[in-house]
Amino acid sequence: MSETNRFQIANLGKPNYKSPLQLSTVRGDHIFNFVKESDKLVFDLSLDSYASCLSNGEEPQCLEKAGPRQDIFFKPEDTTAAIVTCGGLCPGINNVIRGVVMALHYFYGIKRIIGIPYGYEGLNPEMGHELIELTPDKVKDIHQFGGTFLGSSRGGQDVSTMVDTLESNHVNMLFAIGGDGTLKGVDAIGEEIKKRSADISVVGIPKTIDNDIDLIDESFGFETAFDVASPIIRDAHNEAAGAFNGISIVKLMGRDSGFIAASAALAMPVVNFVLIPEMDFQLEGELGFLGVLKKRLQQKKHAVIVVAEGAGQQLFEDQNRVQDASGNIKHADIGIFLKDKIKEYFTETPVTIKYIDPSYIVRSAPANSSDSVYCSRLAYHAVHGAMAGKTQFVSCKVNNKFVYIPIKEVTKKRKKIDLESEFWFSVLQSTGQPFLLK
Ligand code: F6P
């Protein structure tokens, strides 16, 4: 009948304790209900997929609904939790730390919460970073600030050493806030824990301004990042429009996925070209970027270009790239390259080029209101899942519902903009640029 559900969440064992949460199990009493293990949500909402399941007699792939369970695995008074933040900064990290601490302490009565300093380095005693005791009082104001209260670092550490540290500190649950590398890292920690038959739950809370975590609706902090970028684009437009043949180039973060550039351009719809890593564009030729830019200047006398940092890498002669500590390829600087190429191309035509690179500014800001809401809810759901003994999962939103997904499913590949999607089409409708620039 049905093939196995790829979204089945691993569990440490039978949940033998009653939740201390005073929730309901019936509708109509105006009290929130515990979430049952049988509460599932269909993953693929398309009619085609539903019809194919029907005709094959298969159960559709389903996601576990996030939320508090009536039976929990950990006895709160004997439980220690730890939180680690890894990778590049992202708006909302402190909101998530705060939310996890508050939920553990106030909802479940967990009193021992450890902050792991400077990412996975903090789980390697040889690095000499001291563990931080986290209390509601210590974290109550941190949501007001960008960055991470715990500090971060890129790259992994020896998995066995990290699990030794968790065991020697009697940690029962580890919350890892990070992107693809961090999530793979915490999953590897989960595998080592499984080998040792230790009762430690590992939970990921996906964080990246690039929004490149697969399957989930959005990673937290992404919205704030393009929110910060959009007034910069507004002002770049003022600069461009204020000069004859004015050209503003704004380079935005986005290593291999162009979501920030595309969303910022939609949010501030004065952009005429968005160049993203997913597209393969040419500079030369009538249909190439420079030729189309020339036509735009002839018609409108100004242009705004938003380029994602990972765009146009195929244009560089030198294809040798180094990797950062997380194993990500460090790209050549497309912003400066474009600026130079535009300058070279317009030798006969007078142009004024303004180059703007807000760089890290888009990711070090505190979360906006919408991301703040999202961060708190992700944090609460992460805690409920961990308390139920679930492990190697992420707390996330899919099809606008909070769910748990196995870490392995979201780290199989990175999410990228589909050039045939309605989203990218709407970006092109907004900018007026052609489908292809080649
Ligand atoms: O975290 C994602 C990101 O901000 C990317 O957009 C960017 O390419 C990269 O991190 C920069 O990393 P680092 O902090 O190592 O300079």
Side-chain angles (χ1 to χ4, degrees), residues 56 103 119 175-179 202-203 214 237 266 268 281 292 326 374 382 399 418 435 437:
N56 297 333
F175 297 90
I177 304 169
V202 299
V203 185
D214 202 27
H237 176 246
L266 270 175
M268 189 55 66
F281 63 96
V292 180
S326 309
Y374 191 26
N399 300 328
D418 174 356
F435 280 102
L437 284 167

Side-chain angles (χ1 to χ4, degrees), residues 171-236:
V171 170
N172 304 103
M173 52 182 70
L174 173 66
F175 297 90
I177 304 169
D180 185 71
T182 310
L183 298 177
K184 283 180 178 153
V186 81
D187 199 47
I189 291 175
E191 289 299 321
E192 177 65 19
I193 288 168
K194 199 157 64 180
K195 264 196 234 151
R196 297 188 190 188
S197 302
D199 281 345
I200 307 173
S201 155
V202 299
V203 185
I205 303 168
K207 167 232 68 160
T208 154
I209 54 157
D210 287 359
N211 193 30
D212 60 358
I213 304 293
D214 202 27
L215 305 181
I216 71 173
D217 288 358
E218 257 176 31
S219 43
F220 76 80
F222 158 66
E223 191 182 298
T224 304
F226 73 78
D227 206 7
V228 173
S230 75
I232 296 170
I233 295 173
R234 177 198 61 206
D235 300 345

Side-chain angles (χ1 to χ4, degrees), residues 151-429:
S152 184
S153 66
R154 282 203 181 275
Q157 297 291 323
D158 177 63
V159 174
S160 183
T161 307
M162 294 196 282
V163 178
D164 288 347
T165 306
L166 295 175
E167 287 199 305
S168 60
N169 285 284
H170 309 288
V171 170
N172 304 103
M173 52 182 70
L174 173 66
F175 297 90
I177 304 169
D180 185 71
T182 310
L183 298 177
K184 283 180 178 153
V186 81
D187 199 47
I189 291 175
E191 289 299 321
E192 177 65 19
I193 288 168
K194 199 157 64 180
K195 264 196 234 151
R196 297 188 190 188
S197 302
D199 281 345
I200 307 173
S201 155
V202 299
V203 185
I205 303 168
K207 167 232 68 160
T208 154
I209 54 157
D210 287 359
N211 193 30
D212 60 358
I213 304 293
D214 202 27
L215 305 181
I216 71 173
D217 288 358
E218 257 176 31
S219 43
F220 76 80
F222 158 66
E223 191 182 298
T224 304
F226 73 78
D227 206 7
V228 173
S230 75
I232 296 170
I233 295 173
R234 177 198 61 206
D235 300 345
H237 176 246
N238 292 337
E239 287 290 344
F244 177 71
N245 283 345
I247 302 171
S248 283
I249 306 167
V250 181
K251 184 176 91 170
L252 294 175
M253 280 193 160
R255 194 191 292 114
D256 299 308
S257 303
F259 289 102
I260 298 178
S263 299
L266 270 175
M268 189 55 66
V270 292
V271 177
N272 311 110
F273 297 92
V274 180
L275 305 174
I276 57 169
E278 290 87 340
M279 64 198 270
D280 174 21
F281 63 96
Q282 278 173 6
L283 294 181
E284 322 296 341
E286 210 190 322
L287 303 177
F289 168 69
L290 293 169
V292 180
L293 174 63
K294 190 175 174 185
K295 277 194 206 116
R296 157 82 203 176
L297 287 183
Q298 282 163 354
Q299 285 161 6
K300 300 282 185 172
K301 313 294 176 231
H302 75 277
V304 177
I305 303 156
V306 171
V307 58
E309 64 171 323
Q313 293 301 306
Q314 74 285 355
L315 302 172
F316 291 87
E317 270 171 30
D318 181 4
Q319 287 292 321
N320 293 320
R321 301 278 187 276
V322 288
Q323 291 185 346
D324 68 11
S326 309
N328 301 305
I329 289 171
K330 286 193 164 189
H331 290 313
D333 194 332
I334 184 68
I336 298 288
F337 177 85
L338 262 192
K339 178 183 165 211
D340 292 345
K341 290 289 174 191
I342 292 171
K343 206 164 150 198
E344 273 170 33
Y345 180 78
F346 286 102
T347 40
E348 314 274 286
T349 320
V351 293
T352 303
I353 307 172
K354 298 285 170 11
Y355 178 62
I356 300 158
D357 180 359
S359 180
Y360 292 97
I361 302 296
V362 301
R363 69 175 208 189
S364 36
N368 67 13
S369 301
S370 166
D371 263 326
S372 299
V373 169
Y374 191 26
C375 288
S376 294
R377 296 178 75 186
L378 285 173
Y380 301 158
H381 285 303
V383 168
H384 294 312
M387 285 308 293
K390 294 177 191 300
T391 189
Q392 292 178 272
F393 73 93
V394 288
S395 167
C396 59
K397 213 159 137 183
V398 176
N399 300 328
N400 216 18
K401 303 274 185 215
F402 285 93
V403 293
Y404 301 135
I405 303 194
I407 294 175
K408 284 189 180 56
E409 288 298 323
V410 297
T411 52
K412 279 186 176 157
K413 61 180 171 66
R414 302 277 184 105
K415 182 164 73 177
K416 291 183 185 289
I417 295 180
D418 174 356
L419 296 179
E420 295 189 20
S421 64
E422 184 278 331
F423 172 65
W424 182 241
F425 180 47
S426 55
V427 175
L428 301 190
Q429 287 179 105

Side-chain angles (χ1 to χ4, degrees), residues 131-157:
L131 302 181
I132 303 163
E133 189 202 340
L134 294 175
T135 59
D137 204 42
K138 269 209 184 128
V139 301
K140 68 180 186 342
D141 299 321
I142 63 173
H143 59 289
Q144 299 179 54
F145 309 102
T148 162
F149 178 69
L150 296 175
S152 184
S153 66
R154 282 203 181 275
Q157 297 291 323

